[in-house]
């Protein structure tokens, strides 16, 4: 029987009702006691990493999770991390870059309702996570939620309250879990290299939803600017002049811009329209294509922490299925 370490970080799944609303209060042992059937799936031990509402999770907490996995990697067959749903997709993406080539599964999960409620999705999500973590073919960083297995770099929370909170963006579900049975859609390719852990993350990234008049400030105070454009990507005419001025001003000073889209599915393609094609050509701009915003942000933080010399080449290097379409136009 596989030996799995469950890491508690707080979140709704671990929350109790207080006079001020739900707040994390259950220990990993408390949570585990609500799914006695897990004893038929695997042997579980627990560790508390932190106990936070996921709104308060920062890169420092990602490092704590990575360290907990690294310190215990040799002693367990897999890991299940209980986490709040609000920033769950960011954590799943971040861990995909911070823990690479893991032949052992690192599953991130959570719930829309606390596990101690009579009606909750927490028991199913958690048990499904152990089922996936205990399977011989599971590996790498993935999210398990509502019976779906989602690649860590492809998850996005699209529903605030419903149990089917997460979708896989621009990539198929790896597998589903139905009535305790794991059904794989995509076979895992065995890891060819030793697992590697990373800790340096630089958070000098700003996401701009095309709001004018602040470009100068942003270029001055941040190393990387992620622009969430409209549709397949482009710069509105009202911003073009200021954008060109700032790009020329900061060119060669270690600043760079990544263009993504506010549309969740199907990705960007800046070569389609004049508003995007010329800007991309003039500045050899990085384009996010089919990546999720969560993966874009966390990958940039990871790359800047490594002080990559060729940022564009490194950004387009695929990690945990995070980007597929890089040859458009």
């Amino acid at each position: 029987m596989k030996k799995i370490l469950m890491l508690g970080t707080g979140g709704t799944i671990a929350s109790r009702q207080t006079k001020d609303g739900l707040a994390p209060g259950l220990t990993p042992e408390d949570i585990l006691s609500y799914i006695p059937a897990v004893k038929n799936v695997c042997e579980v031990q627990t560790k508390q990493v932190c106990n936070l509402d996921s709104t308060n999770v920062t890169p420092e907490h990602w490092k704590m999770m990575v360290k907990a996995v690294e310190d215990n990697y040799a002693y367990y067959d897999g890991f299940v991390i209980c986490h709040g749903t609000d920033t769950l997709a960011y954590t799943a993406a971040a861990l995909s870059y911070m823990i690479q080539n893991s032949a052992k599964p690192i599953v991130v999960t959570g719930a829309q309702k606390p596990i101690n409620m009579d009606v909750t999705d927490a028991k199913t999500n958690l048990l499904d996570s152990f089922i996936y973590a205990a399977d011989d073919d599971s590996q790498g960083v993935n999210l398990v939620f509502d019976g779906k297995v989602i690649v860590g770099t492809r998850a996005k929370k699209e529903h605030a309250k419903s149990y089917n909170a997460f979708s896989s963006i621009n990539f198929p579900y790896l597998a589903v879990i139905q009535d305790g049975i794991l059904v794989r859609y995509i076979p895992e390719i065995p890891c060819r290299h030793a697992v590697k852990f990373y800790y340096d993350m630089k958070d000098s990234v700003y996401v701009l939803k095309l709001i004018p008049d602040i470009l100068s400030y942003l270029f001055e105070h941040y190393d990387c600017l992620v622009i969430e454009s409209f549709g397949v990507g482009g710069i509105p005419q009202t911003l073009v002049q200021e954008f060109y001025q700032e790009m020329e001003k900061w060119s060669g000073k270690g600043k760079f811009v990544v263009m993504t889209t506010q549309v969740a599915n199907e990705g960007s393609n800046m070569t389609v329209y004049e508003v995007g094609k010329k800007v991309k050509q003039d500045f050899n701009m990085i384009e996010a294509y089919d990546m999720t915003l969560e993966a874009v942000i966390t990958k940039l933080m990871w790359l800047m922490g490594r002080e990559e010399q060729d940022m564009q080449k490194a950004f387009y290097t695929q990690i945990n299925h995070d980007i597929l379409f890089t040859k458009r136009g």
Side-chain angles (χ1 to χ4, degrees):
M1 186 170 282
K2 293 289 183 72
K3 189 176 180 181
I4 308 297
L5 179 62
M6 174 179 145
L7 301 175
T9 69
T12 297
I13 193 171
S15 288
R16 297 180 184 272
Q17 187 66 52
T18 73
K19 63 181 179 61
D20 295 319
L22 291 173
L26 300 177
T27 67
E29 292 83 1
D30 294 333
I31 296 170
L32 197 61
S33 69
Y34 286 92
I35 53 166
V38 74
K39 67 179 182 295
N40 300 318
V41 176
C42 56
E43 178 186 344
V44 183
Q45 294 184 3
T46 63
K47 177 180 177 62
Q48 186 87 55
V49 176
C50 54
N51 204 18
L52 301 169
D53 186 298
S54 70
T55 303
N56 297 317
V57 170
T58 70
E60 291 305 312
H61 299 107
W62 296 338
K63 294 175 187 178
M64 291 166 62
M65 296 176 209
V66 172
K67 189 173 190 309
V69 172
E70 182 175 20
D71 288 349
N72 293 279
Y73 195 81
Y75 309 112
Y76 294 91
D77 300 303
F79 303 84
V80 171
I81 302 174
C82 291
H83 194 288
T85 60
D86 285 349
T87 58
L88 185 57
Y90 285 96
T91 294
L95 296 184
S96 295
Y97 301 117
M98 299 173 78
I99 306 174
Q100 296 185 32
N101 304 316
S102 176
K104 299 179 179 181
I106 299 155
V107 180
V108 190
T109 192
Q112 295 286 65
K113 297 285 183 67
I115 201 166
N116 61 4
M117 284 188 171
D118 292 335
V119 179
T120 177
D121 57 331
K123 297 173 187 176
T124 299
N125 289 347
L126 189 55
L127 186 58
D128 285 352
S129 295
F130 284 116
I131 291 170
Y132 184 75
D135 189 82
D136 289 338
D137 294 328
S138 296
Q139 63 181 38
V141 179
N142 296 294
L143 185 151
V144 173
F145 208 97
D146 190 42
K148 304 175 185 72
V149 181
I150 303 173
V151 171
T153 59
R154 292 292 182 170
K156 180 177 286 292
K157 186 176 182 181
E158 293 195 312
H159 298 280
K161 301 176 183 178
S162 302
Y163 289 167
N164 61 333
F166 289 88
S167 298
S168 182
I169 304 300
N170 298 323
F171 197 82
Y173 296 118
L174 287 183
V176 295
I177 303 167
Q178 300 174 337
D179 300 322
I181 304 299
L182 175 64
V183 180
R184 290 188 182 275
Y185 295 149
I186 301 176
E188 296 281 6
I189 300 174
C191 295
R192 293 176 294 179
H193 304 285
V195 63
K196 192 163 185 180
F197 298 91
Y198 298 89
Y199 289 93
D200 293 329
M201 299 284 278
K202 188 174 181 181
D203 62 359
S204 186
V205 181
Y206 191 91
V207 180
L208 173 67
K209 287 183 179 287
L210 290 180
I211 301 171
D213 302 325
I214 59 172
L215 283 173
S216 179
Y217 174 87
L218 295 178
F219 274 109
E220 182 177 354
H221 290 85
Y222 293 90
D223 295 320
C224 177
L225 183 60
V226 177
I227 298 180
E228 272 197 294
S229 186
F230 308 114
V232 293
I235 301 292
Q237 191 64 42
T238 54
L239 282 180
V240 167
Q241 183 176 353
E242 183 182 0
F243 183 81
Y244 268 71
Q245 289 174 349
E246 294 301 326
M247 286 291 285
E248 290 169 356
K249 176 181 175 181
W250 295 104
S251 179
K253 297 182 180 180
K255 310 278 185 173
F256 55 97
V257 176
V258 178
M259 179 70 75
T260 183
T261 173
Q262 297 179 26
V263 183
N265 289 289
E266 299 179 349
S268 65
N269 184 355
M270 294 181 68
T271 65
V272 173
Y273 296 102
E274 181 184 0
V275 292
K277 186 173 183 178
K278 188 174 188 306
V279 173
K280 182 175 181 178
Q281 290 177 341
D282 287 348
F283 295 104
N284 195 28
M285 188 181 297
I286 298 174
E287 185 172 357
Y289 295 107
D290 62 319
M291 291 179 70
T292 66
L293 179 64
E294 293 87 345
V296 169
I297 293 171
T298 54
K299 188 172 193 174
L300 289 168
M301 294 168 69
W302 172 68
L303 290 174
M304 290 193 296
R306 298 176 64 199
E307 298 183 349
E308 284 286 349
Q309 297 302 307
D310 189 340
M311 182 64 77
Q312 187 166 105
K313 180 180 178 181
F315 184 85
Y316 288 147
T317 300
Q318 187 185 101
I319 296 173
N320 196 19
H321 308 290
D322 60 351
I323 187 167
L324 296 181
F325 307 113
T326 61
K327 300 297 182 183
R328 299 178 181 175

